[in-house]
Amino acid sequence: MIILGISGGHDANWCVVKDGVLIGAFEKERFTRRRHDSGEVISFLDRTLKHLGIEPHEIDLIATSEAVHRETESGLRRLSGMTYKRPDEWQTHVVECLGRVFPCISVPHHLAHAAYARYTSPFANTAVITWDGGGDFYTEDAYSSTTVSSWRGAKLEWLERVDNSDFGSLWFMYSRAIFGDGNAAGKLMGLAALGSDKLVEAMADRTLAPVRGSFEGAWTIKNCWPDYYWPPLLREKVDWHDARAQDVAFAVQHLTNQAGMSIVEQVSRKTGHQNLALCGGVALNGYLNTAIRRSGLFADVFVPPAVNDGGVSAGCALFAAHHVLGQPWPVEHQASLEFTGMSYGPEEIESALREAGLAGKKMEAEEAESVVASALSQRQIVAWYEGSSEHGPRALGHRSIISLPDTVYMRDRLNREIKFREPYRPVAPVVLEDEAASFFEIDWPSPYMMYIVKANARSEANAPAAIHSDGTARVQTVKPDSSLGRLTQRVGELTGTPMLLNTSFNVRTPIVETPRDAVEAFQQVPIDLLYLGGWLVERPR
């Protein structure tokens, strides 16, 4: 059974689920080079299906979610079927796509988020919280920004909307006010470390609200969309340098933790589940995720890599496979989630180098890792490109820029000369899974950079570039048999500190996708060395 998942909202994406397993997931922005690109994706299907070795006639079913906004439709033509009306409802449709007529399962936005978290989690049974800035904007009865659901085995038991709860709207509002971009929540989260608690009480008065209904007793962030263009406490125009902007960012993060934990406590009480999975754009907030993990309210917490809308198509397809069609879950051979995008062969790599006039040296992976580790130990900056591209918004080692963490200068150089971004922005440390606790206050895996934790004295002494202004770091843990894992070990042997810095391989664009994208980015900025899928390229002198 082959299911094609499609989502046309912002961060438009599509995927293929075969016999219950996610075998490929793709985001439109990687191909169009426009951040958070939305709308039509049908024209991109052919190349990605070919990459997976699937012909269009082999597709049995399409699973989709209504577009988040009008005018962002994915390109499917619905021939029959009702639009869902509640966030826990799904519908059967008939659609036209790729010149054929298909049966289709239509899944509400937040149910798709919840299904993605549930079916990618390792838990037999779990509660799921989804929180973002809203979905299903023109199916009003299904509109939601926060939901809680309960899952037993492969089946959804129930899903409830938390009314007038909209964490994402608070982040959109102040991201736009300070950075001129509502999608700059990551910048706002980093800025919070520079602020103080001066505005916490005043912001709480304007944004916190009691939860009614099943989760009564909790407090939440109310729907802030009516104030989007007139944000409380920040009527005048300021930028991130301003102390008031920094205090606003601190208050936003503080209240997100406070309200988030309040809801989590009620979810634990009501569901009785021992496990929790998180999804929606707010689940990218590493401070909140760590607070939930440390609370002890759940035995285990899972946050998958594409919790933003980039995972919606996968949630739709997995829900269709396991809940609607009853395919077994867990599947026997669950694929790795990190790297489900496109990969490119030696012909495309050699062509990209040739067109750019770059001479590369063909090199086996083991030799390249040794050469790159030596270059890193000499404080060179290296772009590492290999295999399939990452699933989700964070570069996890296949499309990464890596360097040493031993001097703050290295982070400053990455921000100033390579990424052209604000100097306060943190860079993720990479550590071996078994050694993470010797550098940071973390005793669980963090393969997708979803937790922000305190650094300890060893990190402070040996890896200051990895530590943010508030003494924290967004840690990526890796296994020793991965490329980043081997590089981390080799660098440790050479320098005494088995840690790298990892930031996404891009320059004011989405993460690089093709070898040509990688070469263009390498040529734009002073990266010292490029490893490009079997070729090692030095910067021309």
Side-chain angles (χ1 to χ4, degrees):
M1 167 69 77
I2 294 177
I3 300 172
L4 175 66
I6 291 177
S7 174
H10 65 80
D11 301 289
N13 55 95
W14 62 100
C15 74
V16 174
V17 168
K18 183 176 181 179
D19 299 328
V21 178
L22 180 67
I23 63 169
F26 314 93
E27 283 192 54
K28 185 178 180 180
E29 70 164 29
R30 304 291 178 90
F31 298 87
T32 64
R33 314 305 300 152
R34 292 191 293 270
R35 289 186 187 273
H36 309 294
D37 206 359
S38 62
E40 186 271 326
V41 300
I42 304 303
S43 60
F44 299 92
L45 297 180
D46 184 60
R47 75 182 83 170
T48 50
L49 291 175
K50 189 177 295 183
H51 165 71
L52 296 172
I54 292 173
E55 297 291 334
H57 72 265
E58 296 180 275
I59 298 169
D60 299 294
L61 176 74
I62 288 177
T64 189
S65 182
E66 296 293 329
V68 175
H69 300 280
R70 289 189 185 279
E71 311 304 328
T72 60
E73 287 79 4
S74 62
L76 294 175
R77 189 163 78 93
R78 189 169 76 193
L79 303 179
S80 67
M82 299 288 290
T83 300
Y84 50 71
K85 296 193 180 301
R86 300 189 311 272
D88 62 344
E89 184 182 54
W90 54 273
Q91 292 286 351
T92 57
H93 291 171
V94 175
V95 299
E96 186 178 50
C97 175
L98 298 171
R100 284 182 55 202
V101 173
F102 292 92
C104 175
I105 302 298
S106 182
V107 183
H109 184 82
H110 269 257
L111 179 53
H113 271 320
Y116 173 69
R118 190 284 158 277
Y119 294 120
T120 57
S121 78
F123 308 137
N125 305 306
T126 190
V128 177
I129 298 174
T130 70
W131 31 32
D132 62 11
D136 305 309
F137 275 89
Y138 62 94
T139 50
E140 291 182 6
D141 290 343
Y143 179 83
S144 184
S145 293
T146 307
T147 70
V148 178
S149 53
S150 174
W151 302 74
R152 302 277 176 188
K155 297 292 185 178
L156 169 70
E157 276 195 320
W158 54 263
L159 181 146
E160 289 191 23
R161 173 170 45 203
V162 182
D163 289 325
N164 194 32
S165 174
D166 199 321
F167 289 78
S169 65
L170 179 69
W171 286 82
F172 272 100
M173 177 170 64
Y174 285 111
S175 296
R176 188 206 67 83
I178 297 171
F179 299 103
D181 179 4
N183 287 305
K187 294 184 181 184
L188 191 64
M189 184 169 64
L191 185 62
L194 305 184
S196 72
D197 63 359
K198 291 178 182 177
L199 297 178
V200 168
E201 187 174 345
M203 187 174 289
D205 290 341
R206 292 163 172 80
T207 59
L208 287 186
V211 173
R212 307 299 184 196
S214 299
F215 302 98
E216 188 168 354
W219 286 79
T220 189
I221 302 295
K222 72 174 187 178
N223 178 5
C224 299
W225 289 112
D227 297 323
Y228 185 65
Y229 292 105
W230 303 275
L233 309 178
L234 212 57
R235 301 288 187 180
E236 72 280 7
K237 183 175 177 58
V238 299
D239 71 8
W240 71 266
H241 298 87
D242 192 287
R244 189 168 183 84
Q246 296 169 8
D247 291 344
V248 161
F250 181 95
V252 168
Q253 182 62 64
H254 181 89
L255 295 177
T256 296
N257 279 24
Q258 181 179 328
M261 284 306 307
S262 180
I263 289 177
V264 169
E265 289 169 5
Q266 294 301 316
V267 170
S268 174
R269 176 190 60 79
K270 176 169 182 177
T271 67
H273 277 294
Q274 296 298 302
N275 301 307
L276 178 67
L278 302 171
C279 206
V282 177
L284 289 169
N285 193 295
Y287 289 109
L288 176 57
N289 294 346
T290 298
I292 294 169
R293 183 95 192 202
R294 291 200 182 287
S295 70
L297 291 167
F298 292 90
D300 205 351
V301 178
F302 177 74
V303 191
V307 293
N308 66 333
D309 280 13
V312 167
S313 68
C316 293
L318 291 167
F319 183 81
H322 300 297
H323 181 87
V324 180
L325 300 178
Q327 292 184 331
W329 186 92
V331 289
E332 187 176 350
H333 301 295
Q334 182 63 56
S336 169
L337 283 177
E338 290 100 319
F339 308 113
T340 58
M342 291 280 287
S343 61
Y344 300 85
E347 300 84 4
E348 289 159 298
I349 292 171
E350 291 170 23
S351 174
L353 292 173
R354 186 170 56 252
E355 289 174 11
L358 292 175
K361 182 179 180 183
K362 190 86 169 103
M363 196 171 287
E364 295 296 326
E366 185 175 357
E367 183 184 0
E369 288 166 5
S370 178
V371 173
V372 166
S374 178
L376 289 167
S377 72
Q378 298 169 42
R379 296 196 175 90
Q380 293 190 31
I381 293 176
V382 179
W384 186 273
Y385 179 108
E386 68 167 320
S388 300
S389 56
E390 285 90 344
H391 176 49
R394 289 174 178 160
L396 300 172
H398 281 194
R399 306 286 189 272
S400 289
I401 297 172
I402 52 179
S403 61
L404 281 193
D406 64 336
T407 65
V408 173
Y409 168 76
M410 189 61 73
R411 183 182 65 217
D412 292 343
R413 186 183 167 203
L414 287 168
N415 283 332
R416 183 180 63 252
E417 300 178 14
I418 308 296
K419 304 298 291 267
F420 302 111
R421 64 187 190 180
E422 298 82 2
Y424 70 82
R425 299 278 292 278
V427 185
V430 179
V431 289
L432 293 169
E433 191 175 292
D434 292 342
E435 296 186 10
S438 69
F439 290 100
F440 303 98
E441 294 180 9
I442 186 171
D443 58 2
W444 61 86
S446 180
Y448 312 133
M449 297 186 194
M450 292 296 178
Y451 297 97
I452 295 175
V453 297
K454 285 287 186 182
N456 65 19
R458 186 182 181 192
S459 281
E460 291 171 358
N462 298 291
I467 304 173
H468 196 24
S469 307
D470 59 357
T472 64
R474 190 182 72 193
V475 176
Q476 179 189 3
T477 60
V478 292
K479 295 187 180 299
D481 60 351
S482 65
S483 294
L484 274 192
R486 289 188 293 270
L487 281 169
T488 301
Q489 290 180 92
R490 288 178 183 269
V491 165
E493 293 165 0
L494 293 170
T495 68
T497 303
M499 187 190 299
L500 300 174
L501 295 182
N502 177 12
T503 188
S504 55
F505 188 6
N506 58 341
V507 182
R508 293 172 170 163
T509 67
I511 299 172
V512 300
E513 170 64 27
T514 67
R516 183 173 285 105
D517 296 336
V519 168
E520 288 178 359
F522 175 66
Q523 290 183 307
Q524 286 176 26
V525 293
I527 296 170
D528 299 301
L529 200 62
L530 167 65
Y531 176 72
L532 188 64
W535 291 85
L536 201 63
V537 185
E538 293 186 25
R539 173 159 298 284
R541 300 299 177 186

